[in-house]
Amino acid sequence: MRRRLIIALVSILALAAFAVYVDWPGTPGLPLTLGDRNLRDLEVRQGLDLQGGLHVVFQADPVPGQAIPEGAMEAVKEIIENRVNALGVAEPVIQIEGDDRIIVELPGVSDPDEAIKLFKETGSLEIFGTGFVPFEEGSFIDETTEGADRILTGAEVKDASVGFDEIGNPEILFELTDAGGGKFQEHTSANIGQWMSITLDGRVIQSAVIQAAISTRGRITGNFNAQEARRVAIQLRYGALPVPLRVVQNLTVGPTLGQDSLEKSVRAGIVGFVLVLLFMVAYYRLPGLVASLALFLYAALVLAIFKLLPVTLTLAGIAGFILSVGMAVDANILIFERTKEELRSRLTIGAAVEAGFRRAWNSIRDSNIATLITCAVLWQFGSGVVRGFALTLAIGVLVSMFSAITASRTFMRVVVRLKRGHDPRWYGVDSPSAETAP
């Protein structure tokens, strides 16, 4: 038991040290990569309402009497995402609202008019022959690129969809117009074994080797999954915006206003945190002090997770974090009230502490699961701001379960083992009749 306690304590302290290292301003980060992200960059990412930027709502504006084609709004979203990526904007929010609107939030954009103009342009999809040179996805080519020969434009692509071959591998099926099919057949029949690339606004979205002469119908096979195939099919089908867009809301948040909001939010969070600590120590005494230590660990871990994932922090996200602080304390309150009940029933300090944690677990588990279900619903059906609140709250709830159950329990066991604080009054129990042996 003692060996396990030492291992648990050392593990918690090591985790705390790691969290402090990640949280420290100006930290050099970690010599690792997570996906395509370099973990040497561990700055807190701020959302639109904290660092300023552009919030714009686009409304589909089809010709009067013409319905919006099925899948058109999803295609608009894909195309706008590609154009936003070309701007180099960090953590943009692009989402469909209802059946005919697109919401775009771009933190840190300094020229909103230019950005809006870029989104509303019709776009340019082209297919180039590149000879024996395979262009990588994401690279840029145009008519001036050496060795590149334009074969088709997006106007000559009639349709595109996702299919599957005989063994279930996804493939991209496409259909060309009659004029496009004639040009494509002429090029492919003369260049079998050579490469061609599909570009959107000059950026390569797919490259493939010509394996046979192709007329009006063909397929693209390769090492991609169904989701990637669907993305390329959408871009082939709607290289240009499938429906015109008009701006129905345009809000620019200045960096000064965002900085003021951040400062006020941080100030409110610190005040709330200190008040919670004072209440816990004043009311629960020694366990309250232990819970305060666990709460510092909780705050450090949550901020470290925000930086590692990373989570884009907004005002709603800060609100979710502050709310999760209260929920972390709520778990400790349940535990300590149970402990006090056990002390009043004349259990020893050590037995009362263990019983308190054990008997409070079911209530803590059920309440946190209910909160996580709510977070999942908000994430699934909410907008960007609501999603930010749901994400930070869910992370806070999960970490609070660790800090309240594992960290607090380990710290309390250490206190009991050190034979300190065995007066029940240190636990908020004024009855002198309780046992005082550890």
Side-chain angles (χ1 to χ4, degrees):
M1 180 68 179
R2 182 178 179 182
R3 184 171 179 270
R4 285 192 297 172
L5 180 60
I6 293 174
I7 292 174
L9 181 61
V10 171
S11 300
I12 291 172
L13 294 178
L15 186 61
F18 173 76
V20 170
Y21 172 80
V22 172
D23 296 339
W24 198 262
T27 177
L30 306 172
L32 302 171
T33 57
L34 186 63
D36 58 351
R37 181 168 175 265
N38 189 344
L39 293 184
R40 293 187 184 276
D41 176 22
L42 290 178
E43 295 297 322
V44 176
R45 295 195 176 182
Q46 300 177 13
L48 176 69
D49 49 0
L50 296 182
Q51 66 167 306
L54 172 67
H55 172 95
V56 60
V57 179
F58 292 104
Q59 172 84 49
D61 191 22
V63 176
Q66 180 179 359
I68 299 174
E70 183 180 354
M73 295 307 296
E74 188 173 351
V76 170
K77 178 176 179 290
E78 290 273 357
I79 294 168
I80 290 180
E81 283 179 345
N82 288 334
R83 297 177 185 180
V84 168
N85 291 335
L87 288 175
V89 177
E91 297 299 311
V93 175
I94 305 164
Q95 57 189 2
I96 300 173
E97 182 182 57
D99 297 326
D100 58 356
R101 287 192 174 190
I102 295 285
I103 298 175
V104 180
E105 293 184 352
L106 305 179
V109 170
S110 58
D111 191 347
D113 292 335
E114 185 64 27
I116 292 174
K117 179 182 177 182
L118 175 64
F119 301 150
K120 294 179 66 177
E121 289 177 351
T122 57
S124 174
L125 185 139
E126 297 172 305
I127 300 178
F128 285 88
T130 60
F132 293 101
V133 181
F135 278 80
E136 295 184 0
E137 184 176 336
S139 60
F140 287 85
I141 60 176
D142 57 24
E143 292 94 335
T144 64
T145 302
E146 184 178 355
D149 177 27
R150 187 169 72 178
I151 310 171
L152 299 173
T153 66
E156 294 164 309
V157 179
K158 187 175 182 180
D159 196 11
S161 61
V162 177
F164 296 89
D165 62 17
E166 297 80 3
I167 60 175
N169 293 323
E171 58 186 13
I172 303 163
L173 308 177
F174 64 89
E175 182 180 355
L176 305 176
T177 63
D178 292 338
K183 291 193 293 183
F184 203 55
Q185 183 176 28
E186 181 181 349
H187 178 86
T188 54
S189 60
N191 293 275
I192 293 175
Q194 298 188 32
W195 286 85
M196 67 176 184
S197 295
I198 305 166
T199 68
L200 181 62
D201 295 332
R203 185 179 67 88
V204 176
I205 61 174
Q206 186 71 33
S207 291
V209 175
I210 300 171
Q211 297 180 346
I214 304 171
S215 181
T216 56
R217 295 178 182 271
R219 63 177 185 170
I220 301 173
T221 60
N223 186 25
F224 44 73
N225 57 36
Q227 183 178 356
E228 292 169 336
R230 183 170 175 271
R231 174 179 59 83
V232 175
I234 288 175
Q235 292 171 319
L236 271 174
R237 185 177 180 182
Y238 297 115
L241 292 177
V243 290
L245 299 177
R246 61 182 174 90
V247 178
V248 294
Q249 185 181 15
N250 178 8
L251 174 64
T252 302
V253 180
T256 302
L257 178 61
Q259 186 63 32
D260 182 61
S261 299
L262 176 60
E263 291 175 357
K264 290 181 178 178
S265 299
V266 171
R267 191 181 307 123
I270 292 174
V271 170
F273 192 80
V274 171
L275 289 176
V276 167
L277 295 182
L278 291 176
F279 166 77
M280 292 298 293
V281 174
Y283 192 80
Y284 289 103
R285 304 174 193 177
L286 181 60
L289 180 61
V290 170
S292 299
L293 294 176
L295 202 58
F296 276 108
L297 173 64
Y298 160 82
L301 286 176
V302 170
L303 181 56
I305 292 172
F306 286 173
K307 296 179 75 172
L308 289 170
L309 285 181
V311 173
T312 301
L313 208 56
T314 64
L315 288 176
I318 293 175
F321 170 65
I322 295 174
L323 177 59
S324 67
V325 171
M327 299 189 69
V329 173
D330 179 64
N332 281 291
I333 289 174
L334 288 173
I335 293 167
F336 297 155
E337 288 295 334
R338 289 288 192 179
T339 301
K340 289 166 66 175
E341 290 177 6
E342 300 300 335
L343 284 172
R344 292 190 183 101
S345 65
R346 303 180 63 83
L347 283 183
T348 63
I349 296 293
V353 168
E354 294 298 327
F357 277 91
R358 185 175 60 254
R359 294 182 61 190
W361 164 243
N362 288 340
S363 298
I364 295 171
R365 178 198 61 201
D366 294 345
S367 64
N368 284 337
I369 289 177
T371 304
L372 290 174
I373 291 173
T374 302
C375 291
V377 173
L378 291 175
W379 175 267
Q380 180 66 31
F381 299 104
S383 62
V385 174
V386 175
R387 279 188 160 195
F389 173 82
L391 178 60
T392 55
L393 179 57
I395 292 173
V397 167
L398 292 172
V399 177
S400 73
M401 293 177 69
F402 168 78
S403 67
I405 299 299
T406 303
S408 293
R409 191 173 198 169
T410 300
F411 294 157
M412 287 298 299
R413 284 173 171 172
V414 170
V415 170
V416 172
R417 285 279 177 174
L418 291 176
K419 302 185 184 299
R420 297 291 187 268
H422 292 152
D423 188 334
R425 287 173 292 186
W426 286 34
Y427 292 78
V429 178
D430 295 325
S431 172
S433 61
E435 294 287 344
T436 60

